[in-house]
């Protein structure tokens, strides 16, 4: 598989022994793509002149060279470590001496039966896509048509609070790995309904749960400056997903897309105006005329252009999470460049988090009132309304 990530062109393959590797896409001989190569015994052979590489990128054979040649031993493709966890292949692309331990995001640690993962190609910079993931005020508008019809969302008591109060108050508190972003809406008897989103630096967002539905979130992974992958997961900590839920997710419900068959590009995309349906928009079946949470989000995030021009924005109170996330990213980038400080989010302790939705009385601070709601808790259901 070709893998483009952080503007690097790489190739992932599994050899005949089942080992996995992530190496430079291009042959060290004269630069042809190894995607055309032959996956042979314990290695990938370039289709042009037959140079062969193993999963670490080490050249193993140059058929045209005499047996005593030392060229092959000296040739190694750039390569990165690759591990498999939670149906996902993870790589680390930094300096080897700083390689962190394997990731411990809760969704990746539950049994396979408890989890569903998808990814979709998105035509914009990763950061504006991520900003959509921490902006929970858009739910009452963009997604309002779907809250009570989508099988992965409907029926939750929290949906009523969402629709009943269109002026959420945002309160944002720094967490060890990023931010707790609290959106407060009015509930009954003077109480508050809180939706608490997790952002863990740099690219992880976790949407607050609804009722007993699976919990979901995203990783926003840069392909290059103008494209990203929206990796999307759903999981239940305490039980398997039902067959109906999995079928719905495969069919583009919840936060997952429908694909152009054989690709990770959504069926509804910018080339076909995301299959805009003005009649559905007018009738209120969907708020924007676009079908499904994933493509509703993608269409608007992509519509900002390949890299959104922040100098033209007019930010308001509900953008507090976005403002503080930008500041924290800037601060961590400077600390990394100037002092070599490892950024938040690398430490597995920062990854063991949960989002939550909860009703609290006005004197209870959202980020500390129910501490167990915001931490991973193996086998125990999420705190959710
Ligand atoms: S370019 Fe790959 S073997 Fe020659
Ligand atoms: Fe959204």
């Amino acid at each position: 598989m070709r893998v483009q990530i952080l503007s690097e062109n790489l190739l992932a393959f599994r050899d005949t022994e089942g080992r996995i590797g992530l190496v430079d896409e291009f042959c060290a001989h004269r630069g042809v793509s190894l995607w055309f190569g032959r996956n042979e015994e314990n290695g990938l052979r370039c289709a042009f002149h037959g140079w062969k590489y193993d999963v670490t990128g080490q050249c193993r054979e140059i058929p045209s060279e005499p047996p005593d040649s030392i060229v092959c031993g000296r040739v190694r493709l750039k390569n990165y470590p690759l591990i498999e966890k939670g149906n996902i292949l993870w790589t680390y692309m930094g300096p080897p001496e700083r390689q962190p331990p394997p990731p411990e995001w809760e969704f990746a640690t539950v049994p396979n039966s408890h989890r569903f993962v998808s990814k979709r190609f998105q035509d914009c910079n990763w950061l504006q896509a991520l900003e959509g993931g921490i902006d929970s005020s858009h739910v009452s508008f963009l997604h309002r048509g779907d809250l009570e019809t989508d099988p992965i969302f409907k029926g939750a008591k929290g949906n009523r609070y969402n629709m009943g109060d269109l002026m959420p108050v945002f309160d944002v508190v720094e967490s060890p790995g990023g931010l707790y972003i609290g959106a407060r809406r009015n509930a009954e008897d003077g109480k508050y309904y809180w939706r608490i989103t997790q952002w863990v630096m740099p690219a992880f967002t976790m949407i607050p749960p609804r009722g007993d539905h699976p919990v979901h979130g995203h990783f926003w992974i840069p392909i290059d400056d103008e494209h990203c992958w929206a990796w999307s997961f759903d999981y239940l900590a305490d039980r398997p997903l039902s067959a109906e839920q999995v079928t719905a997710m495969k069919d583009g419900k919840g936060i997952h897309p429908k694909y152009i068959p054989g690709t990770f590009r959504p069926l509804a995309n910018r080339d076909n105006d995301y299959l805009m349906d003005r009649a559905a928009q007018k009738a209120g079946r969907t708020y924007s005329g676009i079908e499904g949470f994933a493509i509703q989000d993608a269409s608007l995030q992509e519509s900002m252009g390949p890299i959104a021009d922040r100098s033209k924005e007019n930010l308001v109170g509900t953008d507090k999470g976005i403002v503080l996330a930008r500041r924290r990213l800037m601060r961590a980038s400077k600390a990394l460049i100037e002092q070599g400080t490892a950024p938040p989010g690398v430490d597995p302790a920062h990854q063991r988090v949960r989002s939550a939705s909860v009703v609290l009385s006005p004197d209870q601070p959202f980020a500390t009132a129910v501490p167990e709601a915001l931490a991973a808790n193996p086998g125990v259901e999420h705190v959710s309304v």
Side-chain angles (χ1 to χ4, degrees), residues 27 29-30 32 46 48-51:
C27 181
H29 179 211
R30 280 179 31 224
V32 310
C46 179
F48 213 3
H49 315 96
W51 291 29

Side-chain angles (χ1 to χ4, degrees), residues 29 42 57 73 79 89 131 185 214 216 248 329:
H29 179 211
N42 299 322
N79 78 301
L89 297 177
E131 288 174 353
R185 290 176 173 86
H216 36 247
L329 275 174

Side-chain angles (χ1 to χ4, degrees), residues 333-351:
S333 305
K334 285 187 179 148
L336 176 62
I337 293 165
E338 289 162 12
Q339 284 106 43
T341 313
V346 174
D347 183 343
H350 298 173
Q351 301 166 2

